[in-house]
Amino acid sequence: MSANQRQKGGITFNTAFGGIEDSVTSLAKSHTILQGPARSGLFLDELRQHEALLHDAYQRCTYDAELSVCAASEWLLDNFFFVLQALRQVREDMPESYYRQLPKLDGSAWAGYPRIYALAQEIIGQTNGSILDMDLVARFVEAYQRVVPLTIRELWALPNMLRLGILENLTRAVARITGPPAHPGEESCTGVPSVHHLADETLVKNSILSLRAIESQEWKYFFETVSRVEQVLRGDPANVYARMDFDTRDSYRHVVEELARATDQSEEEVAWAAIRLAKTQSRRAEKEQPNDQAQRRTTHVGFYLLDTGRAQLEARIGYRPAWHVRLRRWFSSHSIIVYLGSIALLTLVVVLGFSGYSLAVGGSLLQLIGVSLLGLVPAVTVAVNLVNWIITTTVPPRALPRLDFKQGIPADCHTMVIVPALVTGAGEVERLLQQLELHFLGNGEPNLYFALLTDFTDAPRQHMPYDDALLAQAKAGIQALNEKYGKSADGPFYLFHRTRSWNPSEGYWMGWERKRGKLVELNRLLRGSGETSFSVQMGNLEVLPDIKYVITLDADTTLPPESARRLIATLAHVLNRAEFDPGGRGIVAGYTVLQPRLQVWPTSTRRSLFTRIFAGDYNLDLYTGAVSNVYQDLFGEGIYAGKGIYDVAAFQQSLTDRVSDNTLLSHDLFEGLYARTGLVTDVTLFEDYPPHYLAYARRLHR
């Protein structure tokens, strides 16, 4: 069917929107969805034709002196690459797999075409060749959905369908201008312009301006304004959904879309089912345990879309998972067996290969055993790497839900960024103060505070001659930072310094339990306990009881701009908050600690011959998308590397009295084991690579 023929099947609208609304209602009632397979690839050939014709017109306008003076030619020449970009965007954003899942129309001039394409054509037809009005588009869609709701996939396809319709108009107008006269006796562009040519020139200009209007439109906002599913989910009784960031809301909507496709329910009905489950639980929680964290989790609609409550939702809407979904869920529920079993099986295969080769070349029994033992370590290495590679390429990244804190960190999420460190000399003190200032400059905002947690180095006596000078330097530096960036001397910077205590196991005076001890004592201080060895507590101490989260960094860790806010927004989400078992020690849901992704700071890879050889070729990661991680994607937990954010109360509850003194040096893995760690792979921290082998060996030894 030609474009002109399709246009004849359109509807003529009145200028006033009241007339449009009546016509849209009639249009919606006239549309029937095609049952069964539809024609595929309808747009691909047309796109190729449009592109070929535009290229030909561009060449004509460039080299034909008579055509080049035409106003339409100037518009095309000036905007040709932008037009090609619009064509490419339609092609890339509308792959065949996406196109196949769009509802198609039946029994009309648009039979076999996507319903949203017919809508886009009607909207463009209403403009009568003028510049596309985005307010008109929104009102048109809303009026249509009062009769028939559009799917999530259709709403996302609308901008590309509008582009496609406008490109069709543009191509036809350009073809008429640059080609031979359409009617006998009609003047070309170089003669006295006819009414048809003037109309086509106006259409070329308005089409290009309409494409630019589509490009400048914030379609995320448009989608959430007109989406019926979005309006339903915003009725979340926990009042969490509307406060989440766009990507998290989008992940919720994807689940609704997935469940609706697999059942006879509409997307809106699936969303309502999830909301009703949450509201039922909310009413029950208000009567039984209004302050219970576990109850609050179950009153959030996300519990029934992303969490363990999904089984209840699936049962309510009659969802029956396909075989591949059941298989994937079986693997997920038996992840330890699948992971370790795969490694063991591959290891056995590799070892048997070594043994078989030894046997084939006439090896003795002793040689056979020796080859098998020697091949065990490389076999395990190969197996682990291969299994990890398979998982990262087949299992999608598990992104944690996040709130939207773009307007700032709220008052109920006070957070302190801390840098535990040893004070080894004047140069080290200066470096720590500079690092703290950089953290503030990239992440400074209300309700976020920055602190140094310091110890002196181990010593044979409790007080050493150089102690007072170093401590005075640190205190003066913190005071200077507060005066520089704070409204008063009590600004956002803090200093917590501990005195040495005698360690009979080591035979030295040192900070109690080193870095782990600093964190333990800071948590006690934040929880209101005065039983700490902090001899210096510098800063606005009245804020300390309000600190809910702590972001701990090493002295060589860089905190990129807005990273703190994104970490806080993730841990503050109700589905990520730690939920303890009835005994109050084990965590059954959520997380206490969130570990961001760690990368080596590129400049540190060129500091020495050692770093150039072993640090590898690291570049800045400019992307913020989540990446795959075997442990987070497969087991739902990450590995704590000592740099991340933790909930102070939950951290204390899960780790108090878990370990005796003088038994742990590198405590990160231990804390992550008991506190339960989530990995946030779309937030990246940077750290220095050890500058020489001895530093690397000391880290590895711990």
Side-chain angles (χ1 to χ4, degrees):
M1 181 191 306
S2 70
N4 290 329
Q5 288 175 320
R6 293 200 303 266
Q7 280 190 321
K8 293 178 182 178
I11 293 178
T12 303
F13 295 101
N14 300 321
T15 304
F17 187 72
I20 295 177
E21 189 166 6
D22 294 338
S23 301
V24 172
T25 301
S26 300
L27 176 68
K29 290 179 179 178
S30 69
H31 280 173
T32 57
I33 299 302
L34 177 67
Q35 303 297 327
R39 290 176 291 169
S40 61
L42 290 175
F43 296 141
L44 296 179
D45 291 338
E46 292 185 12
L47 283 174
R48 295 189 189 98
Q49 293 172 10
H50 295 330
E51 189 167 5
L53 193 150
L54 288 170
H55 272 287
D56 181 65
Y58 178 78
Q59 294 296 325
R60 288 171 176 267
C61 293
T62 301
Y63 297 107
D64 190 325
E66 295 180 350
L67 277 176
S68 63
V69 299
C70 181
S73 298
E74 292 181 2
W75 275 97
L76 180 63
L77 292 173
D78 291 342
N79 297 276
F80 181 69
F81 292 104
F82 173 75
V83 172
L84 290 185
Q85 179 184 354
L87 275 168
R88 283 194 298 268
Q89 188 163 359
V90 173
R91 185 184 298 113
E92 292 172 1
D93 292 350
M94 290 289 296
E96 186 68 23
S97 59
Y98 193 100
Y99 173 85
R100 281 197 302 267
Q101 295 181 14
L102 292 173
K104 312 297 190 302
L105 290 178
D106 188 16
S108 71
W110 300 100
Y113 281 81
R115 175 174 58 181
I116 193 65
Y117 178 69
L119 248 64
Q121 287 286 2
E122 299 296 349
I123 294 171
I124 295 169
Q126 171 59 27
T127 64
N128 293 320
S130 59
I131 301 172
L132 191 65
D133 181 1
M134 290 303 166
D135 184 54
L136 172 67
V137 175
R139 288 184 294 169
F140 196 107
V141 172
E142 289 172 350
Y144 188 95
Q145 290 194 110
R146 293 192 190 104
V147 181
V148 181
L150 296 171
T151 66
I152 292 173
R153 195 167 288 260
E154 286 180 298
L155 290 175
W156 281 122
L158 178 59
N160 273 324
M161 293 302 180
L162 290 172
R163 286 190 182 95
L164 183 59
I166 292 170
L167 286 167
E168 289 176 348
N169 287 344
L170 174 65
T171 303
R172 287 195 296 269
V174 167
R176 287 193 293 265
I177 291 172
T178 60
H183 304 285
E186 184 176 296
E187 295 292 337
S188 67
C189 187
T190 58
V192 178
S194 67
V195 174
H196 295 293
H197 275 107
L198 291 175
D200 284 336
E201 288 187 354
T202 302
L203 184 58
V204 169
K205 179 188 72 171
N206 289 344
S207 295
I208 291 173
L209 292 176
S210 294
L211 289 174
R212 291 197 175 277
I214 294 173
E215 186 67 24
S216 62
Q217 173 69 26
E218 182 56 65
W219 287 103
K220 290 181 179 180
Y221 173 78
F222 178 92
F223 170 86
E224 294 195 332
T225 300
V226 300
S227 170
R228 300 287 289 271
V229 171
E230 174 70 13
Q231 307 314 314
V232 173
L233 293 178
R234 284 181 179 268
D236 175 25
N239 193 28
V240 173
Y241 181 86
R243 297 166 47 225
M244 302 188 309
D245 69 356
F246 178 84
D247 289 339
T248 304
R249 293 196 300 270
D250 200 40
S251 68
Y252 282 33
R253 294 189 294 260
H254 277 310
V255 175
V256 172
E257 188 180 14
E258 174 191 343
L259 294 176
R261 275 204 310 268
T263 63
D264 57 357
Q265 306 281 324
S266 69
E267 293 174 349
E268 196 172 354
E269 289 171 335
V270 172
W272 272 118
I275 287 293
R276 291 189 186 101
L277 285 171
K279 287 184 174 180
T280 300
Q281 188 60 38
S282 178
R283 290 191 293 268
R284 184 180 304 161
E286 288 177 1
K287 295 178 181 179
E288 299 175 358
Q289 296 171 305
N291 297 321
D292 185 17
Q293 173 63 35
Q295 293 286 358
R296 185 160 185 263
R297 171 196 283 285
T298 58
T299 64
H300 172 46
V301 67
F303 178 77
Y304 304 96
L305 294 173
L306 296 185
D307 214 304
T308 54
R310 178 163 172 171
Q312 300 178 45
L313 176 61
E314 292 179 354
R316 172 161 293 197
I317 63 176
Y319 171 76
R320 293 185 177 180
W323 68 268
H324 59 88
V325 176
R326 292 196 299 270
L327 181 62
R328 186 172 67 245
R329 291 182 177 182
W330 186 90
F331 282 144
S332 178
S333 60
H334 300 81
S335 53
I336 295 179
I337 296 175
V338 171
Y339 184 66
L340 296 181
S342 300
I343 292 175
L345 181 61
L346 286 174
T347 300
L348 180 62
V349 170
V350 175
V351 170
L352 288 177
F354 289 149
S355 302
Y357 176 78
S358 175
L359 191 63
V361 297
S364 64
L365 178 61
L366 186 60
Q367 290 173 328
L368 188 66
I369 295 174
V371 167
S372 300
L373 292 176
L374 290 174
L376 184 60
V377 172
V380 170
T381 302
V382 169
V384 170
N385 289 334
L386 183 58
V387 170
N388 288 351
W389 177 80
I390 293 173
I391 291 172
T392 54
T393 53
T394 58
V395 180
R398 184 182 300 198
L400 298 181
R402 176 180 293 140
L403 298 179
D404 187 356
F405 284 176
K406 287 183 179 178
Q407 302 303 318
I409 300 169
D412 61 346
C413 292
H414 281 74
T415 303
M416 180 171 284
V417 178
I418 64 168
V419 180
L422 287 175
V423 178
T424 59
E428 179 66 12
V429 172
E430 184 63 27
R431 192 176 73 85
L432 290 172
L433 292 170
Q434 290 178 356
Q435 190 78 340
L436 202 66
E437 184 177 11
L438 289 175
H439 294 332
F440 170 81
L441 292 175
N443 296 270
E445 57 183 280
N447 303 322
L448 188 61
Y449 308 91
F450 302 84
L452 289 179
L453 266 65
T454 58
D455 285 333
F456 287 128
T457 56
D458 303 352
R461 298 190 300 275
Q462 187 173 23
H463 299 286
M464 299 298 289
Y466 50 80
D467 290 352
D468 292 340
L470 293 177
L471 187 56
Q473 180 187 0
K475 292 168 67 175
I478 293 295
Q479 183 174 356
L481 288 175
N482 279 329
E483 292 175 350
K484 183 178 181 180
Y485 297 107
K487 295 180 180 179
S488 64
D490 292 332
F493 297 96
Y494 290 77
L495 174 64
F496 300 103
H497 180 81
R498 299 194 302 173
T499 57
R500 296 185 183 94
S501 59
W502 175 250
N503 189 320
S505 175
E506 298 292 326
Y508 273 94
W509 291 87
M510 62 177 64
W512 175 72
E513 287 295 298
R514 301 188 187 275
K515 179 184 174 181
R516 186 182 76 85
K518 284 197 279 283
L519 295 177
V520 170
E521 294 200 88
L522 175 67
N523 294 337
R524 290 176 185 169
L525 187 64
L526 297 178
R527 295 301 96 197
S529 174
E531 299 179 3
T532 69
S533 60
F534 288 117
S535 59
V536 175
Q537 300 178 25
M538 186 177 180
N540 184 9
L541 303 183
E542 295 179 359
V543 176
L544 298 187
D546 297 327
I547 300 296
K548 186 175 184 179
Y549 305 120
V550 167
I551 298 176
T552 176
L553 308 171
D554 284 349
D556 61 351
T557 304
T558 300
L559 186 67
E562 299 187 3
S563 298
R565 182 195 303 169
R566 298 179 69 203
L567 286 172
I568 299 165
T570 307
L571 190 54
H573 193 282
V574 64
L575 295 183
N576 295 330
R577 295 178 188 173
E579 178 187 331
F580 290 86
D581 59 21
R585 298 304 299 274
I587 298 177
V588 296
Y591 305 98
T592 294
V593 179
L594 293 183
Q595 171 68 59
R597 185 156 48 112
L598 296 175
Q599 279 193 287
V600 174
W601 190 249
T603 57
S604 71
T605 64
R606 295 293 180 264
R607 289 181 177 175
S608 65
L609 179 62
F610 175 80
T611 58
R612 286 196 292 270
I613 294 174
F614 292 100
D617 184 17
Y618 284 91
N619 296 304
L620 281 173
D621 184 2
L622 301 179
Y623 300 94
T624 56
V627 298
S628 295
N629 177 270
V630 172
Y631 303 108
Q632 182 68 38
D633 298 341
L634 193 60
F635 303 109
E637 295 185 46
I639 296 177
Y640 184 39
K643 279 79 70 174
I645 184 173
Y646 65 83
D647 184 309
V648 176
F651 196 83
Q652 283 289 89
Q653 183 175 346
S654 59
L655 289 171
T656 299
D657 300 327
R658 289 287 192 183
V659 61
S660 303
D661 291 356
N662 297 316
T663 55
L664 280 179
L665 179 58
S666 185
H667 54 94
D668 310 332
L669 295 176
F670 174 84
E671 291 169 345
L673 176 66
Y674 282 99
R676 199 165 192 265
T677 302
L679 189 63
V680 189
T681 58
D682 58 349
V683 178
T684 304
L685 303 184
F686 296 94
E687 60 181 355
D688 289 342
Y689 196 82
H692 50 79
Y693 176 74
L694 292 179
Y696 176 82
R698 284 195 294 267
R699 176 189 290 186
L700 185 63
H701 175 68
R702 292 197 302 271

